[in-house]
Amino acid sequence: MGYLNATVLSTSPRMLWDNLTAPASSLDLANKQRARLLAAVILGFVPVAGIAIFAGTISSLITGVDAPPPPAAPIVAWILAFIAYFLSRTANYRWGALLIIAIPLLATVGIVATAEGSNTNPTIYFFMSLSILLASLLLTAQATVITGIVAIIAIIIASYERSQTGTIDVGSMSFALIITVTSALVSSIRDQNLNALQASQAELQQQVIETRQARERAEQSDKVKSAFLASMSHELRTPLNAIINFTRYVAKGSMGPVNEQQSQTLGEVVDSAKQLLNLINDVLDMSKIEAGSLNLFIEDNVNVRNILDNLLSTGKILLVEKSVELQAEIPDDLPTIRGDRQRILQILLNIVANACKFTETGTINVSAVHSGDEIVFCIRDTGPGIAPEDQADVFQAFKQTTSGLRQGGGTGLGMPISKSLAEAHGGRLWLESELHKGSSFYVALPIKSALLAPSISA
């Protein structure tokens, strides 16, 4: 009992009502709606009918004054309503609907058969209308027509048997006919709409299934592609490193003298091979990220200042032939952080390399601040800037902005990789830029990310 009471008390009125009127799950959409409506009609009828039937009995118990017992017919109708309610919760809800429809129909026949004087008693019209309207709500248009015909036949038989002159209640018959035709038309329109809705729902469900299957196939294809790229990248790096090393070996004259032109050409080979190696490394990183297999080498107490010193040294080399000043605003008291030292340098180096590539004059400023439980890095340049409509593309794989395409070079993978690496550390990367006024890239990394745990190998 305690559990039952707790369940009832914790259930909202709306949820309780939904549970009391819930149809059988095996029914289709149209029949579910009719079964739910049947249960709602009965739940509204039973309490009111019960009060009306037993009002005299309740009054006599309170006042002590004897009252006649309630008539048998209303009690039988009340019991039938209970039976109909339980049938409404099953796949055989139609039998419950027929019981509810039959109750006012039987009342109509009883009134016609026993009424004194004219059969045009308003009560006849009420019960007749109720029976036919219930049929139109709870059953199909065809069933509504059948109910109307049954009502007309019942009126004919009852009034003919009662009448000593053999007359028939034409008024009641006409009224029943009008109500039947009108209700059947309304029910037919409703059924057509429900059938159309059910067909649309079935089509939508099929589309959802097909979409889910297509997504699963795409995800599987994406995993296969990422695995292939990772495998191929590993296979390509080994011979490419050999090409770089052997070319350097030849350029130094270890295999015989080389002239200045040959040395210059071999140097270009090495530079091109390095560029290709960087491309392969980027593709390998991106494929690992997409496959969810990128591992981080996590250390505690990573010295941020050392990373920034390496970053500035590389930036100066990249700007050696440009009239761009590399500035730094780095406090001496930056805390150490938890993370992958090489990957953090890779994040910042990708941003600085882009700034050096696109900034022809002016300055590039590298700064870092300790803010709460994060360190926020900022690389600000005076380059061409990024248009608002292009900013989302900066973090999309294999995409470049308009200015990036004009200057050429690069794979369009550096910034997507940096963003993924920052997020893998529990941080974030974003940009602020205005066309022709430069760009600012921000990287926020947590000092002690709960996502990371120190490890010898990840």
Side-chain angles (χ1 to χ4, degrees):
M1 276 301 284
Y3 173 76
L4 179 60
N5 291 336
T7 303
V8 172
L9 290 174
S10 63
T11 303
S12 67
R14 176 60 185 271
M15 291 178 61
L16 182 61
W17 178 258
D18 287 343
N19 289 333
L20 290 174
T21 59
S25 58
S26 60
L27 296 174
D28 58 26
L29 176 63
N31 286 322
K32 277 183 178 180
Q33 289 191 352
R34 296 189 187 108
R36 186 181 290 276
L37 180 60
L38 171 61
V41 168
I42 297 172
L43 288 174
F45 164 78
V46 166
V48 176
I51 293 172
I53 293 169
F54 298 104
T57 304
I58 296 171
S59 177
S60 67
L61 291 174
I62 296 173
T63 62
V65 178
D66 291 337
I75 295 178
V76 171
W78 201 57
I79 294 172
L80 290 177
F82 271 105
I83 297 172
Y85 170 73
F86 289 108
L87 288 172
S88 74
R89 309 296 300 280
T90 71
N92 297 316
Y93 87 94
R94 291 179 185 82
W95 291 107
L98 290 174
L99 277 177
I100 290 297
I101 292 167
I103 291 172
L105 188 58
L106 292 173
T108 301
V109 174
I111 293 170
V112 172
T114 60
E116 296 290 338
S118 173
N119 289 338
T120 57
N121 188 325
T123 310
I124 297 174
Y125 296 146
F126 170 76
F127 282 115
M128 236 184 349
S129 303
L130 183 60
S131 182
I132 297 170
L133 289 174
L134 285 172
S136 68
L137 289 173
L138 305 176
L139 297 174
T140 63
Q142 183 180 6
T144 303
V145 173
I146 294 173
T147 302
I149 293 172
V150 171
I152 293 171
I153 294 172
I155 291 170
I156 292 173
I157 295 173
S159 61
Y160 185 82
E161 289 293 329
R162 187 192 61 81
S163 175
Q164 296 178 353
T165 60
T167 58
I168 299 174
D169 188 353
V170 178
S172 297
M173 287 175 49
S174 301
F175 183 77
L177 182 61
I178 294 171
I179 292 295
T180 300
V181 173
T182 305
S183 300
L185 288 174
V186 173
S187 181
S188 177
I189 294 171
R190 181 207 58 198
D191 289 347
Q192 289 176 3
N193 292 334
L194 282 174
N195 290 336
L197 179 61
Q198 189 167 341
S200 299
Q201 186 183 49
E203 184 179 354
L204 179 60
Q205 289 175 344
Q206 182 62 31
Q207 290 177 353
V208 169
I209 293 172
E210 292 175 356
T211 301
R212 187 184 298 115
Q213 292 173 344
R215 184 186 65 188
E216 291 173 354
R217 288 194 297 269
E219 289 175 351
Q220 182 63 30
S221 298
D222 192 56
K223 289 179 181 178
V224 171
K225 177 211 70 176
S226 297
F228 171 76
L229 288 175
S231 175
M232 288 301 298
S233 297
H234 278 296
E235 295 299 326
L236 288 171
R237 283 200 301 179
T238 301
L240 192 54
N241 278 318
I243 291 171
I244 293 172
N245 292 331
F246 282 129
T247 304
R248 282 175 174 169
Y249 185 69
V250 172
K252 289 180 180 179
S254 301
M255 298 187 69
V258 290
N259 58 39
E260 183 178 350
Q261 185 177 4
Q262 290 171 333
S263 178
Q264 183 178 355
T265 302
L266 291 172
E268 291 175 356
V269 172
V270 171
D271 290 340
S272 297
K274 284 182 177 179
Q275 186 176 356
L276 182 57
L277 183 60
N278 289 333
L279 169 61
I280 291 172
N281 287 333
D282 283 347
V283 171
L284 177 59
D285 283 344
M286 201 68 219
S287 64
K288 285 182 177 180
I289 290 169
E290 291 179 345
S293 60
L294 180 69
N295 295 321
L296 300 177
F297 184 85
I298 305 302
E299 303 173 77
D300 263 336
N301 303 320
V302 173
N303 191 312
V304 176
R305 181 70 198 220
N306 290 343
I307 292 176
L308 291 172
D309 287 341
N310 291 337
L311 179 70
L312 293 171
S313 298
T314 304
K316 289 176 181 178
I317 295 173
L318 295 173
L319 293 173
V320 70
E321 296 181 356
K322 289 189 175 185
S323 57
V324 177
E325 181 184 359
L326 183 61
Q327 301 174 343
E329 298 176 16
I330 305 170
D332 294 328
D333 59 347
L334 287 176
T336 58
I337 68 174
R338 176 182 295 167
D340 186 323
R341 186 190 312 270
Q342 289 302 120
R343 294 300 188 179
I344 294 173
L345 176 59
Q346 182 181 355
I347 294 169
L348 299 173
L349 190 56
N350 280 337
I351 301 173
V352 169
N354 275 350
C356 294
K357 180 192 297 184
F358 296 115
T359 304
E360 298 298 333
T361 59
T363 60
I364 297 174
N365 182 276
V366 178
S367 64
V369 295
H370 180 195
S371 176
D373 58 355
E374 294 180 325
I375 293 181
V376 180
F377 305 89
C378 177
I379 293 90
R380 182 178 292 108
D381 64 59
T382 57
I386 304 170
E389 62 271 16
D390 289 336
Q391 291 181 12
D393 290 341
V394 170
F395 301 109
Q396 295 294 320
F398 300 105
K399 283 192 175 183
Q400 291 181 315
T401 63
T402 304
S403 58
L405 290 171
R406 282 200 300 268
Q407 291 201 216
T411 62
L413 291 176
M415 297 312 299
I417 290 173
S418 294
K419 188 173 188 294
S420 296
L421 290 175
E423 292 172 351
H425 279 80
R428 59 195 190 282
L429 189 160
W430 71 98
L431 72 88
E432 295 175 0
S433 183
E434 189 175 346
L435 201 59
H436 309 305
K437 293 187 178 180
S439 303
S440 297
F441 283 81
Y442 298 89
V443 181
L445 297 178
I447 295 173
K448 298 292 182 183
S449 173
L451 296 176
L452 307 175
S455 58
I456 297 175
S457 61

